[in-house]
């Protein structure tokens, strides 16, 4: 067996599913969670147009943010939220506080609360004192509505604290922004080898002008100062400052920067720390200098005379600093200091030998938190020896607040690196893909058995100049005498004119050779199956269908089939018959599984007319030759001869994959789960329907229960009703009976009535154009949150009603919702989001037709 490492197209979802591995929860990565929040914060004040009075404005407070949507409340309502309203920051007329005064506009309270206070000027002074106004640059201009991370663009100038002197800063330019991870180059240097990577929340980063405002020094980096003359450094800084003043970096970028805590360290104290140069081990270190109440200097202990000191500036919350005896208590090895004579390191002896004291445990406030990380979880991590590289990583052990990570796919193996749980160099799975950054992934070891027989001789292969319809011969010279033997078959024909079914692309089928073989049965069949897989709309789906072709009576051997689709590699093992007498049955079984004509390929050649008369059939009609429906039927359905069928789907348990989304900023959180009974839609990257086939799968039956409100049943166009429904309608004909044969999905649709005591009325069903129309009893602009919840509950999206309740979505907010907003703010998959948006669109159409005028 020859084993080689093969680089394959890596996909987190497939890998986690195949291996049964677990992704680290994205909530464990606090810095990533912060980076997804809106630039607007609850409590900010702004001026917004009055709804009931033209050309007048009033001050409002931001209650909640959801992507680019803001929930606002006019000042004066206090805790009363009945008048809260949603608006889109990209389309609404929003202004910072003071805009009306500058532009001679009228500031007037809404009519509903006009009499609440006698002196509104005094009220506003109290209300606005100490409050924070929404930044003007986020309400207008190119930065309008942008996320915090998106405010940092290439070319922005920041100040970076010196790595060795905490009172020294220097300007740096943003070369690249990857989801908040910044590649920075010092102003005055053009060599990319001096670039550094930092997350935008790093405490070393400050806005331009920070050093001057806080009476700190603005000097070139200590270790790079000699690369330029003093005048060159000054000239470069002046140019960068002038450039930055033209388009300054918004201060909102730094709103989430943590405030530093004061420390209790004193010079001479000993502690343990992950090695700053080689983060693969923990070593003893000493506090050599205390700068102020926030910063102190640490030096790695080295007792040799010629040692070059390794120093680093720390603060109380610096990651990877640990109290004395931490390694001993957690069963972790401690690196012995260079030059220390004793072979067995003991802290008591070492402290006595050096005459130093151990730092108190009180200096380390959070030495044991793990933030939800566990052994064998997977994530993405920065390679400490190559900061520009992010790798697939597995947690090999968790001790207190430290993680040991094994980085995969490295060209040169290295020990497990140690990172702190608060490190900004670790990210959830899928982060690189979400931000379009390359991920170094693991190499797959593949063992290839040595082949004893050359199946395809070079001179027998299909030459480039050979026409595509020429037969493909798979016999080697030693096989030619055995063509008619037990394990060899004659030619298998590809009949291009036969019906290709829902899975195979007829155009690609037409480009295949007319015949394959003769040769060994398994080899010929594997070759023709490979060609069919590559002719599929979705090769991964065809691979899955072929795996189900099996008969216990067959004499089979296992073969590995491969496919590629959209950059992903698929591989599956299939049992293929070995004897010639079973080839015909095997080919027919494959055709049946692929729902194509049974003569599409096999030992029978079709000249002018197929015996199955499949030439005139279409993709949606040709299933009559089958005796049963292939695959599992939909819930509650029984297949019938002649029924229209669609490719069967298997619902898989999906792993939690990180997708970069804007986070909803509010106090109340929510989680939604969806069962097969909750949704008519299910989307999967490998299992999406094919061209010419729809993208909907029905898995829920219409609701039978009545809601608290009164509704009118108006059927909509859809798929033929299920057998049970057909039988009921045939037995009990009524006003709801319709005569339709549209091949699309049927979904129960209802109209909304606000009056709970109103009698049910029956609306005549109008076919086609009128079937999907919604009739509203009241104007949706006047709906309260409970009215919206009642409406959603009455539809086939009832499982999502809780989200509308939690997010206080009233009728006005409902009409603002779009598909991107629903996906981002409700964390819904595409299928349920589309279904929900369909119901919202029905309300919008009804609103415009009934109430817009």
């Amino acid at each position: 067996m020859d084993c080689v490492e093969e680089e394959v197209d890596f996909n987190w979802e497939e890998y986690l599913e195949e291996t049964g591995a677990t992704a680290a929860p994205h909530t464990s990565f606090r810095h990533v969670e912060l980076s997804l929040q809106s630039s607007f914060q609850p409590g900010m004040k702004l001026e917004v147009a009055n709804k009931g009075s033209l050309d007048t404005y009033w001050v409002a407070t931001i209650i909640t943010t959801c992507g680019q949507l803001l929930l606002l409340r006019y000042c004066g309502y206090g805790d009363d939220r009945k008048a809260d309203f949603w608006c889109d920051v990209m389309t609404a007329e929003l202004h910072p506080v003071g805009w009306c005064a500058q532009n001679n506009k009228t500031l007037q309270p809404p009519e509903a609360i006009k009499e609440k206070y006698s002196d509104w000027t005094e009220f506003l002074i109290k209300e606005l004192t100490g409050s924070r106004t929404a930044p003007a640059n986020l309400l207008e201009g190119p930065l309008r509505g942008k996320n915090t991370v998106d405010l940092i663009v290439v070319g922005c100038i920041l100040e970076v604290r010196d790595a060795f002197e905490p009172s020294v800063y220097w300007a740096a330019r943003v070369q690249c922004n990857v989801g908040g991870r910044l590649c920075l180059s010092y102003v005055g240097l053009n060599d990319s080898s001096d670039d550094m990577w930092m997350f935008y929340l790093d405490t070393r980063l400050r806005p331009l002008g920070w050093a001057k405002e806080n009476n700190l020094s603005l000097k070139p980096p200590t270790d790079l100062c000699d690369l330029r003359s003093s005048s060159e450094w000054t000239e470069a800084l002046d140019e960068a400052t002038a450039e930055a003043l033209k388009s300054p970096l918004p201060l909102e970028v730094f709103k989430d920067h943590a405030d530093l805590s004061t420390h209790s360290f004193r010079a001479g104290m000993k502690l343990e720390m992950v090695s700053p140069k080689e983060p693969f081990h923990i070593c003893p270190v000493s506090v050599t200098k205390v700068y102020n109440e926030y910063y102190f200097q640490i030096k790695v202990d080295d007792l040799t005379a010629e040692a070059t000191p390794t120093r680093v500036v720390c603060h109380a919350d610096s990651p990877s600093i640990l109290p004395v005896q931490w390694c001993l208590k957690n069963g972790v090895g401690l690196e012995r200091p260079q030059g220390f004579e004793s072979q067995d390191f003991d802290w008591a002896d070492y402290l006595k030998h050096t005459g130093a004291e151990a730092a108190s445990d009180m200096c380390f406030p959070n030495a044991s938190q793990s933030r939800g990380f566990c052994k064998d979880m997977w994530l993405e991590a920065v390679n400490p020896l190559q900061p520009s590289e992010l790798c697939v990583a597995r947690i090999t052990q968790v001790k207190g607040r430290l993680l040991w990570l094994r980085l995969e796919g490295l060209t040169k193996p290295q020990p497990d690196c140690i990172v702190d749980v608060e490190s900004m160099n670790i990210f959830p799975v899928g982060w690189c893909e979400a931000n379009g950054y390359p991920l170094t992934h693991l190499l797959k070891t593949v063992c290839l058995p040595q082949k004893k027989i050359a199946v395809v001789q070079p001179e027998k292969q299909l030459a480039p100049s050979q026409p595509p319809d020429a037969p493909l011969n798979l016999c080697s010279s030693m096989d030619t005498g055995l063509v008619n033997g037990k394990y060899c078959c004659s030619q298998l024909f590809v009949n291009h004119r036969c019906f290709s079914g829902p899975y195979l692309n007829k155009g690609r089928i037409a480009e295949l050779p007319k015949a394959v073989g003769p040769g060994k049965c398994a080899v010929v069949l594997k070759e023709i199956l490979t060609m069919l897989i590559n002719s599929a709309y979705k090769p991964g789906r065809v691979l899955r269908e072929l795996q189900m072709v099996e008969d216990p009576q067959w004499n089979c051997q296992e073969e590995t089939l491969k496919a590629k689709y959209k950059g992903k590699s698929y591989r599956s093992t299939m049992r293929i018959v070995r004897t010639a007498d079973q080839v015909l049955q095997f080919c027919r079984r494959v055709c049946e599984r692929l729902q194509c004509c049974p003569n599409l390929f096999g030992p029978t050649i079709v000249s002018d007319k197929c015996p199955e008369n499949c030439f005139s059939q279409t993709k949606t009609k040709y299933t009559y030759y089958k005796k049963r429906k292939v695959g599992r039927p939909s819930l509650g359905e029984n297949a019938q001869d002649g029924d229209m069928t669609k490719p069967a789907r298997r619902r898989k348990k999906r792993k939690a994959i990180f997708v970069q989304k804007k986070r909803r900023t509010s106090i109340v959180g929510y989680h939604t789960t969806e069962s097969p009974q909750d949704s008519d839609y299910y989307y999967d990257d490998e299992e999406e329907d094919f061209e010419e086939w729809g993208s909907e799968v029905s898995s829920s039956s219409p609701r039978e229960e009545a809601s608290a409100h009164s509704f009118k049943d108006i059927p909509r166009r859809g798929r033929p009703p299920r057998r049970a429904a057909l039988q009921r309608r045939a037995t009990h004909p009524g006003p709801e009976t319709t005569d339709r044969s549209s091949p699309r999905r049927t979904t129960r649709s209802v109209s909304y009535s606000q009056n709970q005591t109103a009698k049910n009325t029956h609306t005549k069903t109008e076919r086609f154009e009128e079937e999907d129309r919604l009739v509203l009893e009241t104007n949706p602009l006047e709906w309260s949150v409970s009215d919206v919840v009642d409406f959603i509950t009455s539809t086939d999206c009832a499982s999502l009603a809780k989200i509308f309740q939690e997010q206080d979505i009233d009728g006005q907010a409902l009409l603002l919702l779009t598909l991107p907003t629903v996906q981002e703010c409700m964390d819904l998959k595409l299928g349920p989001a589309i279904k929900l948006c369909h119901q919202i669109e029905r309300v919008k159409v009804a609103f415009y037709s009934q109430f817009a005028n």
Side-chain angles (χ1 to χ4, degrees):
M1 303 285 284
D2 296 329
C3 294
V4 296
E5 284 193 330
E6 180 181 280
E7 184 169 348
V8 296
D9 294 323
F10 183 76
N11 178 275
W12 265 120
E13 186 176 358
E14 291 176 4
Y15 179 76
L16 294 176
E17 185 172 339
E18 289 173 3
T19 60
T22 304
H26 59 79
T27 51
S28 299
F29 303 87
R30 181 175 173 272
H31 59 295
V32 177
E33 291 289 287
L34 289 173
S35 71
L36 302 179
Q37 291 184 356
S38 169
S39 300
F40 294 96
Q41 295 297 301
M44 282 184 172
K45 308 287 185 182
L46 43 78
E47 293 177 359
V48 59
N50 260 324
K51 290 186 177 181
S53 180
L54 295 176
D55 297 327
T56 64
Y57 299 82
W58 190 241
V59 179
T61 304
I62 297 176
I63 305 300
T64 292
T65 67
C66 181
Q68 63 188 36
L69 295 181
L70 305 179
L71 180 64
L72 302 179
R73 180 181 302 165
Y74 285 121
C75 291
Y77 275 92
D79 295 330
D80 185 0
R81 64 181 192 178
K82 68 180 180 183
D84 291 359
F85 60 98
W86 289 90
C87 64
D88 190 334
V89 69
M90 299 301 292
T91 58
E93 188 179 358
L94 304 176
H95 306 284
V97 173
W99 179 86
C100 285
Q102 295 173 3
N103 294 273
N104 296 321
K105 298 292 183 179
T106 304
L107 206 58
Q108 174 181 307
E111 288 293 332
I113 58 172
K114 198 170 185 179
E115 307 300 328
K116 190 172 182 179
Y117 296 96
S118 57
D119 190 344
W120 282 101
T121 303
E122 182 182 353
F123 168 81
L124 277 184
I125 293 174
K126 291 181 179 179
E127 185 79 6
L128 296 176
T129 301
S131 64
R132 185 181 177 197
T133 181
N137 56 356
L138 299 183
L139 296 172
E140 54 193 19
L143 302 181
R144 183 175 185 177
K146 279 195 173 183
N147 216 24
T148 304
V149 169
D150 299 330
L151 299 176
I152 309 173
V153 298
V154 174
C156 283
I157 306 295
L158 307 92
E159 288 183 358
V160 182
R161 193 191 76 226
D162 193 283
F164 306 102
E165 291 290 338
S167 60
V168 175
Y169 283 78
W170 189 249
R173 181 178 283 105
V174 176
Q175 301 292 344
C176 179
N177 178 5
V178 183
R181 191 164 187 261
L182 310 178
C183 178
L184 303 170
S185 62
Y186 281 117
V187 167
L189 294 179
N190 298 320
D191 190 353
S192 61
S193 62
D194 296 320
D195 290 354
M196 52 194 165
W197 285 87
M198 292 184 194
F199 204 72
Y200 83 104
L201 294 173
D202 196 305
T203 55
R204 289 181 61 191
L205 298 179
R206 298 294 178 181
L208 188 65
W210 169 269
K212 185 176 181 180
E213 290 177 7
N214 291 272
N215 298 318
L216 301 173
S217 302
L218 200 60
K219 299 178 181 177
T222 306
D223 54 335
L224 303 174
C225 188
D226 296 335
L227 297 179
R228 296 284 186 274
S229 65
S230 177
S231 59
E232 289 175 330
W233 285 114
T234 303
E235 182 181 355
L237 179 63
D238 292 340
E239 291 179 0
T241 303
E243 176 186 341
L245 290 176
K246 296 178 183 178
S247 55
L249 183 66
L251 294 178
E252 282 66 39
V253 169
F254 303 92
K255 66 182 174 61
D256 294 317
H257 273 224
D259 295 328
L260 295 180
S261 305
T262 57
H263 68 81
S264 305
F265 291 94
R266 297 189 303 274
M269 282 184 169
K270 298 282 186 181
L271 58 150
E272 298 176 357
M273 182 182 186
V274 177
S275 174
K277 275 194 172 181
E278 297 179 340
F280 311 118
H281 54 263
I282 302 173
C283 55
V285 296
S286 304
V287 179
T288 55
K289 187 176 182 179
V290 174
Y291 295 101
N292 50 41
E293 59 184 344
Y294 298 112
Y295 295 103
F296 56 95
Q297 185 186 75
I298 279 181
K299 180 176 77 72
V300 176
D301 285 3
D302 190 334
L303 305 182
T304 57
E306 66 280 0
T308 301
T310 300
R311 296 188 175 91
V312 60
V313 174
C314 295
H315 51 83
D317 298 318
S318 287
S320 306
I321 58 173
L322 307 161
V324 165
Q325 303 283 12
W326 186 92
C327 286
L328 180 64
K329 294 175 182 177
N330 288 276
V332 178
L334 181 67
E335 191 83 359
R336 184 169 57 89
Q338 294 289 329
F340 186 61
E341 297 178 357
S342 176
Q343 293 297 321
D344 298 323
F345 181 82
D346 179 76
W347 264 113
D349 294 341
Y350 184 63
L351 291 174
K352 185 178 180 180
H353 175 79
T354 56
E357 64 172 322
S360 169
D361 288 349
M362 298 298 292
C363 298
F364 309 88
N366 299 311
S368 60
Q369 63 174 349
S370 63
R371 292 197 61 83
F373 291 104
C374 298
K375 182 182 177 183
D376 290 328
M377 283 184 172
W378 291 78
L379 44 82
E380 297 173 5
V382 174
N383 181 357
L385 303 184
Q386 186 67 39
S388 62
E389 181 181 27
L390 272 87
C391 306
V392 168
R394 178 171 64 88
I395 300 175
T396 56
Q397 61 177 323
V398 180
K399 299 290 185 181
R401 58 178 297 142
L402 294 186
L403 310 175
W404 274 254
L405 302 180
R406 181 159 300 163
L407 305 184
E408 305 285 355
L410 299 178
T411 54
K412 184 178 180 181
Q414 65 185 32
D416 292 357
C417 64
I418 306 172
V419 299
D420 191 275
V421 293
E422 296 286 352
S423 170
M424 297 185 191
N425 287 328
I426 55 176
F427 303 91
V429 299
W431 187 86
C432 282
E433 182 181 3
N435 290 283
Y437 196 77
L439 175 68
T440 301
H441 53 77
L442 64 170
L443 300 175
K444 189 171 183 180
T445 302
V446 181
C447 293
L448 304 174
Q450 295 180 350
K451 295 184 178 180
K452 297 181 180 179
I453 300 175
V455 177
V456 182
Q457 295 290 349
E459 62 271 15
K460 296 292 183 180
Q461 291 183 2
L462 184 66
S465 59
Q466 194 171 356
D469 58 352
L472 186 59
N473 194 332
L474 296 181
C475 284
S476 63
S477 57
M478 64 183 300
D479 289 332
T480 51
L482 299 173
V483 170
N484 296 318
K486 178 181 178 181
Y487 296 104
C488 291
C489 66
S490 57
Q491 283 187 331
L492 295 184
F493 300 97
V494 179
N495 298 306
H496 306 105
R497 295 191 60 195
C498 284
F499 171 65
S500 57
Y503 298 113
L504 305 178
N505 186 316
K506 194 167 184 65
R508 295 174 190 164
I509 293 289
E511 297 174 358
L512 299 180
K514 281 187 176 180
V516 178
K520 296 279 188 181
C521 292
V523 175
V524 173
L525 287 170
K526 180 179 179 181
E527 179 65 27
I528 203 166
L529 290 176
T530 301
M531 292 193 301
L532 291 177
I533 291 168
N534 292 327
S535 301
Y537 293 114
K538 296 290 179 68
R541 178 62 191 273
V542 170
L543 270 178
R544 180 172 300 158
E545 294 294 333
L546 293 179
Q547 279 184 304
M548 301 179 188
V549 179
E550 193 169 351
D551 192 315
Q553 298 180 354
W554 286 346
N555 181 0
C556 297
Q557 72 180 52
E558 289 191 351
E559 293 288 347
T560 300
L561 301 178
K562 300 179 182 179
K564 270 199 169 186
Y565 179 67
K566 288 188 177 179
K568 297 180 181 178
S569 293
Y570 302 93
R571 184 193 302 260
S572 72
T573 301
M574 180 182 178
R575 293 176 60 79
I576 299 178
V577 298
R578 301 175 59 206
T579 58
D581 59 327
Q582 297 172 343
V583 169
L584 176 60
Q585 184 185 6
F586 178 83
C587 292
R588 291 214 161 224
R589 190 73 63 83
V590 169
C591 289
E592 181 181 348
R593 192 74 215 177
L594 298 182
Q595 302 182 41
C596 59
C597 176
N599 294 322
L600 180 65
F601 80 97
T604 304
I605 185 170
V606 175
S607 54
D608 296 328
K609 187 174 182 182
C610 174
E612 298 286 342
N613 193 29
C614 69
F615 297 152
S616 61
Q617 304 301 324
T618 64
K619 285 188 185 295
T620 56
K621 291 182 179 178
Y622 186 79
T623 55
Y624 74 94
Y625 75 89
K626 294 183 296 178
K627 299 299 180 185
R628 58 182 175 83
K629 185 175 179 179
V630 178
R632 289 186 294 181
S634 301
L635 294 177
E637 284 188 293
N638 295 319
Q640 303 180 52
D641 292 351
D643 281 355
M644 180 201 69
T645 60
K646 292 175 69 173
R649 302 181 178 237
R650 294 177 294 168
R651 185 176 289 274
K652 303 185 296 183
K653 182 177 180 183
R654 304 294 295 272
K655 304 290 181 183
I657 304 299
F658 171 81
V659 178
Q660 182 141 351
K661 299 178 181 177
K662 296 184 178 72
R663 291 287 174 196
R664 172 176 177 265
T665 307
S666 66
I667 298 174
V668 181
Y670 62 88
H671 301 277
T672 59
T673 57
E674 186 180 356
S675 67
Q677 287 75 22
D678 292 332
S679 174
D680 285 337
Y681 292 79
Y682 180 68
Y683 284 77
D684 188 296
D685 190 50
E686 295 179 22
E687 296 189 4
E688 290 175 357
D689 285 334
F690 310 102
E691 298 169 18
E692 304 183 43
W693 282 64
S695 59
E696 301 171 339
V697 173
S698 176
S699 61
S700 67
S701 58
R703 298 182 172 275
E704 299 296 338
E705 67 272 20
S707 71
H709 292 269
S710 173
F711 301 97
K712 304 173 185 177
D713 290 342
I714 301 181
R716 53 176 284 211
R717 284 176 291 179
R719 192 173 56 186
R722 296 172 180 171
R723 176 181 290 180
L726 286 171
Q727 291 174 349
R728 280 200 308 271
R729 293 180 183 180
T731 308
H732 307 286
E736 293 183 354
T737 304
T738 56
D739 180 20
R740 296 188 301 271
S741 58
S742 174
R744 292 168 54 188
R745 180 175 59 91
T746 298
T747 301
R748 180 184 176 97
S749 300
V750 294
S751 59
Y752 180 75
S753 170
Q754 190 176 18
N755 185 0
Q756 294 187 1
T757 61
K759 296 180 179 179
N760 290 329
T761 59
H762 297 280
T763 303
K764 292 183 179 180
T765 303
E766 296 181 14
R767 298 179 60 186
F768 300 104
E769 294 85 358
E770 300 297 327
E771 285 175 347
D772 200 33
R773 179 171 295 175
L774 183 66
V775 179
L776 301 178
E777 297 285 337
T778 58
N779 190 337
L781 286 177
E782 300 172 358
W783 287 2
S784 64
V785 176
S786 60
D787 293 334
V788 172
V789 171
D790 288 340
F791 171 73
I792 297 299
T793 303
S794 70
T795 69
D796 51 3
C797 299
S799 61
L800 307 178
K802 184 180 178 183
I803 301 177
F804 286 79
Q805 182 72 54
E806 291 175 345
Q807 297 197 23
D808 294 328
I809 297 177
D810 58 12
Q812 296 180 37
L814 182 72
L815 295 177
L816 283 171
L817 293 178
T818 61
L819 180 59
T821 307
V822 166
Q823 283 185 273
E824 291 174 0
C825 302
M826 296 186 178
D827 283 340
L828 296 180
K829 294 181 181 178
L830 180 60
I834 290 177
K835 186 170 68 167
L836 176 60
C837 284
H838 170 72
Q839 300 297 342
I840 296 172
E841 287 301 315
R842 296 177 66 232
V843 175
K844 291 180 181 179
V845 171
F847 165 72
Y848 287 120
S849 63
Q850 294 179 238
F851 303 101
N853 295 326

